[in-house]
Amino acid sequence: MDKKAYIAQMPLFEGISENQQQDLASIALLKTFERGETIFSDGEAGNGFYVVLSGRIKIFKLSADGKEQILHIFGSGEPFGEVPVFEGRRFPAHSEPLEKSSVMFFPRTAFIDLIKRNPSLALNMLAVLSRRLRRFAAMIDDLSLKEVPGRLAAHLLDLSARQPESNQVALTVPKNQLAAMLGTIPETLSRILQKMTQQGFIKVDGKNISLLDREGLKELAEGLRRLSHE
């Protein structure tokens, strides 16, 4: 598949004309990264943005003592690193692939020139940024106000909304990375998964989790219910 064909399938550029697709293809670069390879680092100049073609990309911050906090994981068709394109600032976090991944890179200067000539190109990006802002606001709410079981319940329900089998979800990251995403440690996550299993909320089979009590999970996620300590 050529660059124009990839762009035609991207939700980020849905509805643009074939000429605009070709304009974007003319500036885009195809890149492949191995697992763990640095795509960009926190503080690095924001010289462009990326769209995932295949694989999974994690965006994360590191604390002063080296503790990793995963902010988001992006999959096929999703853009990342686009905020500095509009701000003209530096990347605010680190980015690495969780597996071998292919991406399309749009250099900032060339992309801004295209937007100046075709302002409609920016409309879909603004919609994507708005949805992402709401998602990050929800994440901040989860990390600051919810207990870890509530964060985990909310995460499982979010996964179920994005996977075909709504009552059967597959974890998209290893449990140690999931723990980092939820602001806890692997040992605590394991205990909570065990309690949720014992109390009939879920059934765990490796990375696959069956949601046995969706209403109960919703109550945990909304803070209306807590796990029993028995």
Side-chain angles (χ1 to χ4, degrees):
M1 189 183 295
D2 62 20
K3 290 187 288 184
K4 182 173 176 289
Y6 277 125
I7 290 167
Q9 296 182 6
M10 291 177 183
L12 183 62
F13 300 120
E14 184 178 357
I16 67 174
S17 69
E18 286 195 22
N19 286 339
Q20 290 173 323
Q21 292 171 8
Q22 187 58 55
D23 287 341
L24 286 167
S26 70
I27 68 167
L29 302 173
L30 296 175
K31 297 188 176 186
T32 299
F33 295 92
E34 298 294 330
R35 178 182 177 182
E37 186 178 354
T38 298
I39 299 177
F40 56 74
S41 299
D42 190 350
E44 185 179 318
N47 61 347
F49 72 97
Y50 303 79
V51 177
V52 184
L53 301 179
S54 65
R56 292 174 299 148
I57 308 295
K58 70 174 179 179
I59 307 297
F60 63 100
K61 297 282 285 187
L62 290 175
S63 66
D65 60 359
K67 182 179 178 181
E68 180 180 291
Q69 172 63 59
I70 298 177
L71 303 177
H72 202 85
I73 294 172
F74 295 110
S76 180
E78 294 187 289
F80 65 99
E82 70 275 21
V83 172
V85 170
F86 290 100
E87 286 189 324
R89 296 185 181 181
R90 299 180 181 275
F91 289 117
H94 302 279
S95 176
E96 291 180 4
L98 291 169
E99 59 197 47
K100 185 175 180 179
S101 302
S102 296
V103 302
M104 187 173 285
F105 175 68
F106 296 90
R108 179 181 187 272
T109 301
F111 185 74
I112 292 297
D113 287 342
L114 279 183
I115 285 182
K116 288 177 179 177
R117 299 198 302 270
N118 300 283
S120 61
L121 282 174
L123 294 179
N124 283 337
M125 292 195 73
L126 291 174
V128 169
L129 289 171
S130 296
R131 289 195 295 271
R132 189 163 296 167
L133 180 60
R134 288 195 295 271
R135 191 182 301 167
F136 277 117
M139 178 187 292
I140 292 169
D141 182 58
D142 286 349
L143 289 174
S144 60
L145 299 177
K146 292 181 181 176
E147 296 180 347
V148 178
R151 298 175 206 164
L152 175 57
H155 180 73
L156 294 176
L157 291 169
D158 181 59
L159 281 180
S160 75
R162 293 186 281 128
Q163 296 185 9
E165 296 293 333
S166 61
N167 288 324
Q168 178 87 20
V169 302
L171 297 180
T172 55
V173 293
K175 290 177 182 175
N176 64 321
Q177 293 179 345
L178 176 58
M181 287 178 67
L182 299 176
T184 188
I185 58 176
E187 293 78 8
T188 299
L189 176 62
S190 294
R191 287 197 298 269
I192 291 170
L193 284 168
Q194 184 177 24
K195 283 186 177 182
M196 291 174 75
T197 299
Q198 292 170 345
Q199 295 175 31
F201 291 99
I202 61 175
K203 179 181 178 181
V204 181
D205 180 15
K207 69 174 184 177
N208 297 311
I209 299 180
S210 300
L211 309 187
L212 305 179
D213 183 0
R214 293 183 65 88
E215 287 304 314
L217 289 170
K218 288 178 182 177
E219 291 176 356
L220 284 175
E222 294 170 0
L224 303 176
R225 186 172 176 179
R226 291 188 175 185
L227 288 178
S228 169
H229 293 293
E230 296 180 2

